[in-house]
Amino acid sequence: MSRTAIIERFRADEWPSYRNLRLRALTESPDAFGSTLAQELPRSDEEWEQRLLSGIGSATDLPLVARLGTAPVGLAWCRLQHAEHGTASLYQVWIAPEHRGCGIGRCLIETSVDWARMKGAQQLALSVTCGDTPARRVYEQLGFIPAGQPQPLRPGSDLMEQPMMLSLI
Ligand SMILES: CC(C)(COP(=O)(O)OP(=O)(O)OC[C@H]1O[C@@H](n2cnc3c(N)ncnc32)[C@H](O)[C@@H]1OP(=O)(O)O)[C@@H](O)C(=O)NCCC(=O)NCCS
């Protein structure tokens, strides 16, 4: 099987894939995200569909899927922030464990970087759980640097997340 991943915007009818990837990410990597499986599992199909449609129909959102052949194996969501002029943010980055280490995560992030730059953003922001993790390493390799003090991953959590920023200019 070819290991070359295709990175593209989710299609509107792919909300079940989006839901399945997101729930698998929250199950497999609960410490990597501010949101939790307990928060997202109860969402109805209509909510998942609307959530994806709102991103697909927006010029300020880029919901991305990574595919190997026809199989969805990862996701990311990039968004231009209206409140902070010139800043885009990256969320929900996750690759299925059986397909990690093949460059797919880097590809997803680079696609988001290219889109944010094309949209005129001057910087791309994200937060990553503190520690020596593959996520932290891939962001550093791509030029992200710490931006500000670590914050709790979620209210009441002992886990901390580090805000990071990549200059796009
Ligand atoms: C972070 C993540 C998206 C990386 O995806 P991936 O497809 O495995 O990453 P890549 O294959 O593109 O690797 C890119 C770089 O990441 C680092 N990396 C990836 N997997 C690694 C591993 N198992 N051990 C050490 N470094 C690793 C390496 O620096 C690698 O660079 P290299 O190819 O020059 O060695 C993936 O590990 C993941 O989904 N983790 C769980 C969820 C998560 O942490 N998401 C981030 C939320 S902020």
Side-chain angles (χ1 to χ4, degrees), residues 25 28-33 73-75 90-97 99-109 126-129 132-142 161-162:
E28 188 275 333
S29 303
D31 293 345
F33 304 104
V73 299
L75 79 164
L90 185 58
Y91 307 98
Q92 302 185 23
V93 176
W94 182 81
I95 302 297
H99 297 297
R100 288 183 190 161
C102 306
I104 305 175
R106 179 193 294 266
C107 238
L108 262 179
I109 299 161
L126 57 84
S127 289
V128 61
T129 305
D132 181 21
T133 62
R136 178 73 181 249
R137 285 196 287 279
V138 69
Y139 294 137
E140 285 178 348
Q141 281 187 1
L142 290 171
E161 62 177 7
Q162 173 65 58

Side-chain angles (χ1 to χ4, degrees), residues 118-168:
M118 184 266 290
K119 284 287 183 179
Q122 293 166 17
Q123 51 197 4
L124 181 59
L126 57 84
S127 289
V128 61
T129 305
C130 291
D132 181 21
T133 62
R136 178 73 181 249
R137 285 196 287 279
V138 69
Y139 294 137
E140 285 178 348
Q141 281 187 1
L142 290 171
F144 286 83
I145 56 171
Q149 293 302 311
Q151 312 283 338
L153 178 64
R154 56 184 83 94
S157 173
D158 289 339
L159 290 168
M160 304 294 281
E161 62 177 7
Q162 173 65 58
M164 300 188 83
M165 197 76 82
L166 175 71
S167 173
L168 302 177

